[in-house]
Amino acid sequence: MNRKFLKKWSPRLAIVLVAMIVLYATLVANPTNAFNHKVCTSWQMVKNKSFILSHRQFSENIIDTAYADNVTEQQAKQVPVLMYHYLVPKSLNKEPGNKSVMNVEDFEEGMDYLHQEGYYTPTLQELEQYVNGEITLPKKSVVITFDDGYENNLVYAYPILKKYNFKAAVFIIGSKTQENNEPFDPARKSFLTKAQMEESKDVFEFHSHTYNLHYKGFEKCGSTYAAGLDAKLLKQDMKQMKEFGIDTPYFAYPYGNKSTQMMYYLREEGYRMAFSVRQGFVKPGDNPMKLNRLTVTTGTDLSILLHPPDESLE
């Protein structure tokens, strides 16, 4: 009887199973409503778990270092990593509502505040050692970063930082780097040249913001994300960036978009620390591949940003 049942129903069950798989795949590929989106995101979570299990040498929680309770009052319990982008004089700022565009006057005011308050600006290597629990940092420590590699960072930020003996990290887009050093025009978007990068290393350190993946081009669950989430593109891009001459262990995710797979492939290529755009401070024991930063733009009051009521933005 069991054989007759199986003979009769097995083909039908197989058809139903195939139909369910096709339906599920369709919902994942074409999330047109809230239900479909939930199905898709759930499927992405399953794929992430499967990826971790199939790559046992990789752990998303890379560091399991508990913060030491014996930190003195003169040592940092957490460190803010400031994120800047585009600088322009207030008189030329045509996008006052754009959070990626900052008035030079506000930037200088912020740096003056840090100087007056006695802040120290660690390098990314020092920050990595701090996150790993290998060193302590002064209580008043702040890491300064710029994304994209605009020429105005050199023209406006460099002399201000140099005046105060501050250090900063610039995450450049390799393909945007200019070949020739044309006369600077503050009204035109321009990027650093290799020569300018070399000349400003007494203040700036340069790291990867991808070679050419700073654009939205990866489709997932009905939304478009940074192209770097595409593993094939990322692998080729990392190779290009190193050939370009930026071969350091530090990285900033375009638009802050990241994934378990992306972190894995970055680590495979020697990247040890990467920055998101998630608002918050950096602490010892944090996952070094998804560190927080603090967005700074026109009107930001650093005295408030660096000292929130509960001393944490998380």
Side-chain angles (χ1 to χ4, degrees):
M1 183 174 179
N2 288 339
R3 290 182 179 179
K4 290 182 179 180
F5 176 83
L6 291 174
K7 185 176 181 180
K8 179 179 180 181
W9 287 99
S10 290
R12 300 181 185 182
L13 291 173
I15 292 173
V16 171
L17 180 60
V18 170
M20 290 177 65
I21 293 174
V22 171
L23 175 61
Y24 190 79
T26 300
L27 292 175
V28 170
N30 303 284
T32 57
N33 55 42
F35 173 74
N36 292 358
H37 186 268
K38 186 173 182 63
V39 171
C40 181
T41 53
S42 297
W43 176 241
Q44 293 297 328
M45 291 177 61
V46 170
K47 290 203 300 183
N48 284 341
K49 295 295 183 182
S50 176
F51 183 88
I52 294 173
L53 290 174
S54 62
H55 296 77
R56 293 184 180 278
Q57 72 276 28
F58 173 72
S59 172
E60 197 171 345
N61 297 316
I62 300 168
I63 292 186
D64 189 26
T65 304
Y67 177 67
D69 294 326
N70 59 349
V71 172
T72 70
E73 291 185 0
Q74 301 305 315
Q75 296 172 340
K77 294 183 178 181
Q78 57 187 11
V79 172
V81 179
L82 305 182
M83 178 176 61
Y84 298 89
H85 287 82
Y86 196 93
L87 298 180
V88 64
K90 182 178 180 179
S91 61
L92 297 176
N93 189 349
K94 298 178 181 180
E95 302 179 78
N98 187 338
K99 291 187 177 181
S100 293
V101 178
M102 184 176 192
N103 293 341
V104 175
E105 294 85 348
D106 287 61
F107 176 78
E108 184 163 20
E109 182 179 332
M111 294 303 103
D112 182 67
Y113 167 79
L114 295 179
H115 174 70
Q116 293 295 332
E117 290 294 313
Y119 272 87
Y120 172 68
T121 55
T123 64
L124 293 197
Q125 182 179 19
E126 289 176 299
L127 183 67
E128 180 186 14
Q129 293 172 324
Y130 171 79
V131 170
N132 291 342
E134 299 170 359
I135 66 170
T136 60
L137 288 173
K139 182 178 182 179
K140 289 187 174 182
S141 293
V142 59
V143 175
I144 301 171
T145 68
F146 294 84
D147 281 6
D148 303 336
Y150 294 111
E151 188 177 13
N152 54 48
N153 297 169
L154 174 68
V155 174
Y156 299 126
Y158 175 85
I160 296 171
L161 294 168
K162 189 174 179 65
K163 178 174 69 172
Y164 295 130
N165 196 31
F166 286 165
K167 303 296 183 183
V170 181
F171 294 100
I172 70 164
I173 304 168
S175 63
K176 296 287 188 180
T177 303
Q178 297 177 171
E179 291 293 331
N180 301 314
N181 187 11
E182 300 177 1
F184 175 71
D185 179 358
R188 178 178 60 87
K189 183 181 293 185
S190 58
F191 294 83
L192 292 165
T193 67
K194 276 193 172 183
Q196 289 173 323
M197 291 165 57
E198 191 63 35
E199 294 168 1
S200 59
K201 283 187 175 179
D202 57 330
V203 170
F204 292 134
E205 53 181 289
F206 297 94
H207 306 288
S208 177
H209 203 29
T210 73
Y211 181 77
N212 192 29
L213 294 180
H214 197 286
Y215 63 92
K216 297 289 185 73
F218 184 80
E219 299 289 336
K220 183 175 72 173
C221 298
S223 300
T224 306
Y225 299 90
L229 292 177
D230 186 318
K232 292 182 180 179
L233 293 179
L234 179 64
K235 290 178 182 179
Q236 178 61 29
D237 189 87
M238 288 189 289
K239 179 181 178 181
Q240 287 179 288
M241 196 58 161
K242 291 181 179 182
E243 292 174 349
F244 171 75
I246 300 296
D247 187 5
T248 76
Y250 308 127
F251 183 89
Y253 300 105
Y255 308 105
N257 296 162
K258 61 188 180 299
S259 68
T260 299
Q261 291 87 340
M262 190 177 186
M263 288 188 286
Y264 171 80
Y265 293 121
L266 285 169
R267 289 189 64 209
E268 284 287 285
E269 284 297 318
Y271 289 96
R272 302 193 302 264
M273 194 163 67
F275 296 85
S276 69
V277 297
R278 183 174 182 269
Q279 300 297 288
F281 290 83
V282 170
K283 301 176 182 178
D286 282 352
N287 186 329
M289 295 305 292
K290 49 182 181 181
L291 296 181
N292 298 328
R293 287 193 285 179
L294 296 171
T295 299
V296 188
T297 189
T298 297
T300 297
D301 187 334
L302 289 186
S303 65
I304 296 176
L305 183 69
L306 301 181
H307 303 96
D310 61 354
E311 287 297 314
S312 174
L313 294 183
E314 295 184 348

